[in-house]
């Protein structure tokens, strides 16, 4: 299901890719991750906590995370600072970031947003959006990576979901 929302007024953009096939080995890519701004790790932890509160309310288990998934999410957050889209700057779909970081998956999804100043604001915006809410509350996903990047004083947020 693809749903586009107006990105003005800090409303998030939604594009759900939850029924993606398993992909084989990705070609070797030369990727560079820039330094994550100070303080964003605390924001990511708070987004995870808030998302898991929502999952608990729905009777779902908490998401787990790991460093590799977080690194991939931070890469996507960095990418959307220059191209706010589920299509990556190189023209491929967001799910290729999982291959780039050798993250296996059978199901994958992504939520992105920009402009929200706090974890509470971005989680609230995502929960008000049917597509984002569906990803956050999906029983198909077990793991989440949360990425945050900053550009010109604006926060860019990503959530990368896998099974």
């Amino acid at each position: 299901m693809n749903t586009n929302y107006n990105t003005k007024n800090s409303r998030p953009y939604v594009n759900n890719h939850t029924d993606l096939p398993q992909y084989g080995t990705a070609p070797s890519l030369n990727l560079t991750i820039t330094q994550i701004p100070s303080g964003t790790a605390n924001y990511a932890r708070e987004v995870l906590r808030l998302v898991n509160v929502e999952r608990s309310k729905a009777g779902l288990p908490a998401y787990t995370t790991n460093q590799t998934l977080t690194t991939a999410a931070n890469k996507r957050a960095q990418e959307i600072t220059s191209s706010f889209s589920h299509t990556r700057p190189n023209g491929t779909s967001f799910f290729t970031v999982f291959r780039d970081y050798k993250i296996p998956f059978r199901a994958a999804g992504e939520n992105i947003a920009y402009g929200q100043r706090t974890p509470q604001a971005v989680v609230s915006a995502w929960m008000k959006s049917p597509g984002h809410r569906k990803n956050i509350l999906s029983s198909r996903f077990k793991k989440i990576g949360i990425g945050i990047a900053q550009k010109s004083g604006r926060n860019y947020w990503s959530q990368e979901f896998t099974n």
Side-chain angles (χ1 to χ4, degrees), residues 5 25-26 35 37 56 80-81 88 98 116-117 120-121 149 161:
Y5 286 83
T25 305
Q35 183 65 33
S56 177
I80 65 173
T81 67
R88 298 179 71 191
F98 299 112
Q116 296 82 3
R117 296 184 182 270
Q120 294 81 3
F161 302 92

Side-chain angles (χ1 to χ4, degrees), residues 19-70:
D19 292 36
L20 299 173
Q22 178 76 34
Y23 287 88
T25 305
S28 177
L29 297 174
N30 183 13
L31 299 174
T32 303
I33 301 290
T34 59
Q35 183 65 33
I36 299 164
S38 176
T40 58
N42 290 333
Y43 271 17
R45 281 191 291 276
E46 181 64 3
V47 167
L48 177 62
R49 186 188 73 76
L50 293 168
V51 163
N52 281 333
V53 166
E54 296 298 332
R55 286 179 64 81
S56 177
K57 290 179 195 175
L60 295 165
Y63 278 124
T64 61
T65 192
N66 60 56
Q67 187 58 50
T68 305
L69 200 49
T70 298

Side-chain angles (χ1 to χ4, degrees), residues 11 37 42 45-46 52 64 74-75 77 90 93 106 113 124 126 138 140-141 157 161-162:
R11 291 184 65 192
N42 290 333
R45 281 191 291 276
E46 181 64 3
N52 281 333
T64 61
N74 278 316
K75 177 62 175 178
N90 67 5
S93 183
R106 288 190 165 286
S124 176
W126 279 328
S138 175
R140 295 182 66 197
F141 301 138
W157 309 83
F161 302 92
T162 65

Side-chain angles (χ1 to χ4, degrees), residues 3-15 80 84-86 111-117 121-133 154-157:
T3 306
N4 297 328
Y5 286 83
N6 184 344
T7 58
K8 293 180 182 176
N9 302 321
S10 299
R11 291 184 65 192
Y13 173 90
V14 178
N15 189 349
I80 65 173
F84 189 75
S85 174
H86 293 285
N111 288 345
I112 60 175
Y114 75 92
Q116 296 82 3
R117 296 184 182 270
V122 75
V123 171
S124 176
W126 279 328
M127 291 304 291
K128 291 175 184 171
S129 160
H132 289 102
R133 182 182 183 89
R154 179 174 282 168
N155 291 329
Y156 292 80
W157 309 83

Side-chain angles (χ1 to χ4, degrees), residues 72-117:
N74 278 316
K75 177 62 175 178
R76 287 294 297 131
Q78 178 189 10
E79 289 177 349
I80 65 173
T81 67
S82 62
S83 176
F84 189 75
S85 174
H86 293 285
T87 300
R88 298 179 71 191
N90 67 5
T92 63
S93 183
F94 78 87
F95 62 86
T96 60
V97 76
F98 299 112
R99 293 187 307 181
D100 294 348
Y101 289 93
K102 298 179 178 23
I103 300 167
F105 67 93
R106 288 190 165 286
E110 175 177 79
N111 288 345
I112 60 175
Y114 75 92
Q116 296 82 3
R117 296 184 182 270

